[in-house]
Amino acid sequence: MARTRKRTKSNGTLLTVIIAFAANALIAAAKSVAAVVTGSASMTAEAAHSWADAGNQVFLFLAERRSARPRDESHPMGYGREAYVWSMFAAFGLFTAGAVVSIMHGIQEIIEPEPASDFAVAYVVLALAFVLEGISFIQAFRQTRKAARELERRTLEQVLISSDPTLRAVFAEDAAALIGLVVAFAGVLLHQITGSALPDAVGSIVVGVLLAVVAVVLIDRNRRFLVGQGVTPDIERSMALRLLEHQDIARLTYLHLEYVGPRKLYVVAAVDLQGDHPEHEVAVSLRRIERELEDHETVEEAVLTLATPDEARLEF
């Protein structure tokens, strides 16, 4: 029978997703109105981008909620990997609803340019969007920086290699949104100055290409964790030291760590226990150490076996 586990305490990711959804929904509505009023290709691309982001937050919300369910008999390693599945859907949504629509609209604008007007509306909406996106990005940045400090990593390094796909997605999408707003502003401004729709159309295409790059990176990161992303050396060393610091463990000869969800590890290790105890006492000690390891919120399950005398000690 699978051992039950308590839910992982909230790490703030859900709050980050909710803030991002609220910001993107407001921004998407405002950009849509501005796109209709002005006829700007860049504003249309930005509206598609924000609607895609708002829809993606729903997938990320599901990723966070469903992956946090405790394990049961049908899922002995828990539901953690669901986070990567739903985050993958969100990345595909960003690619199709955001990138493809923006690029196609930009190309269409080049082929059949349309006049734009009421540029002041576009500027006001872009400024409002920048403020709201900035608030969402600051929340994601603070949480990412906190996690990076705990693991002694750089913030951008944490974004790329973190096992938390929802936080990575919000951070990347908000960063892309801020860059996209600057591009859209340049496109609208050049359209107004030159009277040509070409800069506006190019801005739409640039926004689409930016979203496509972000989506491909997110898809690739989720794919890696779904097929069995290995842990980084710092995580491996931290777990090894935790085992070696245990008062009952004398030697560590094998260590396998595997992500089974965001911040969740499956641990398999071969150890040599202190002293020379009878078999039944050794079995009890191993099970006790396993439970102690599983009390840590990052360990979903731990399995320990005895090392043989001829196995070399792992050095960290």
Side-chain angles (χ1 to χ4, degrees):
M1 179 179 295
R3 286 168 269 177
T4 58
R5 297 269 295 154
K6 60 182 180 182
R7 289 176 181 264
T8 304
K9 63 181 181 181
S10 173
N11 65 349
T13 302
L14 194 59
L15 175 62
T16 300
V17 172
I18 292 172
I19 291 175
F21 173 78
N24 281 306
L26 290 173
I27 293 168
K31 286 180 181 177
S32 297
V33 172
V36 172
V37 171
T38 64
S40 167
S42 292
M43 287 304 302
T44 302
E46 278 298 304
H49 176 188
S50 293
W51 282 119
D53 280 353
N56 290 344
Q57 307 311 320
V58 176
F59 286 121
L60 296 179
F61 179 84
L62 289 172
E64 190 67 17
R65 295 291 292 179
R66 293 178 68 87
S67 66
R69 290 181 295 173
R71 62 187 183 179
D72 51 34
E73 291 185 4
S74 62
H75 291 79
M77 288 296 171
Y79 294 82
R81 286 195 176 99
E82 282 217 39
Y84 305 118
V85 175
W86 291 101
S87 296
M88 182 81 81
F89 290 157
F92 276 117
L94 181 66
F95 185 85
T96 55
V100 174
V101 170
S102 298
I103 293 173
M104 289 180 60
H105 187 77
I107 294 173
Q108 182 180 0
E109 189 71 13
I110 292 175
I111 297 173
E112 299 178 2
E114 297 181 1
S117 60
D118 296 312
F119 293 101
V121 175
Y123 296 139
V124 170
V125 170
L126 288 173
L128 174 63
F130 198 88
V131 172
L132 293 176
E133 290 285 7
I135 292 172
S136 178
F137 179 75
I138 288 172
Q139 169 66 19
F141 181 83
R142 285 176 175 172
Q143 189 184 344
T144 305
R145 184 175 59 179
K146 178 182 177 182
R149 286 177 175 174
E150 291 175 353
L151 295 171
E152 298 181 350
R153 296 172 178 168
R154 294 185 297 274
T155 302
L156 290 180
E157 180 186 16
Q158 175 66 12
V159 172
L160 289 174
I161 67 177
S162 171
S163 64
D164 187 340
T166 50
L167 182 59
R168 174 169 39 250
V170 173
F171 186 101
E173 290 176 7
D174 285 348
L178 291 173
I179 297 172
L181 288 170
V182 174
V183 172
F185 173 81
V188 173
L189 180 62
L190 289 174
H191 191 165
Q192 182 181 17
I193 293 174
T194 64
S196 170
L198 182 60
D200 206 0
V202 171
S204 177
I205 295 172
V206 170
V207 170
V209 171
L210 173 65
L211 296 181
V213 171
V214 171
V216 169
V217 171
L218 293 177
I219 289 170
D220 179 67
R221 295 309 303 167
N222 284 295
R223 177 191 63 81
R224 289 173 181 267
F225 279 98
L226 280 172
V227 301
Q229 171 74 54
V231 301
T232 53
D234 58 334
I235 297 294
E236 185 177 29
R237 183 175 183 275
S238 175
M239 181 58 68
L241 292 178
R242 190 189 306 175
L243 286 165
L244 291 171
E245 288 170 359
H246 195 282
Q247 60 181 359
D248 292 334
I249 296 178
R251 191 165 56 104
L252 176 66
T253 63
Y254 173 80
L255 179 62
H256 170 79
L257 301 176
E258 180 180 336
Y259 280 113
V260 293
R263 306 167 302 279
K264 286 292 188 181
L265 291 169
Y266 173 52
V267 182
V268 179
V271 300
D272 185 16
L273 298 180
Q274 298 282 3
D276 188 13
H277 302 285
E279 180 179 349
H280 70 279
E281 291 184 10
V282 170
V284 170
S285 296
L286 288 176
R287 297 298 175 270
R288 175 173 49 79
I289 298 172
E290 289 173 355
R291 301 302 185 277
E292 290 174 4
L293 289 172
E294 291 170 0
D295 284 338
H296 195 279
E297 62 177 2
T298 61
V299 178
E300 185 64 40
E301 183 168 6
V303 177
L304 301 183
T305 62
L306 287 178
T308 60
D310 61 317
E311 291 179 317
R313 176 195 299 266
L314 293 182
E315 299 293 343
F316 290 91

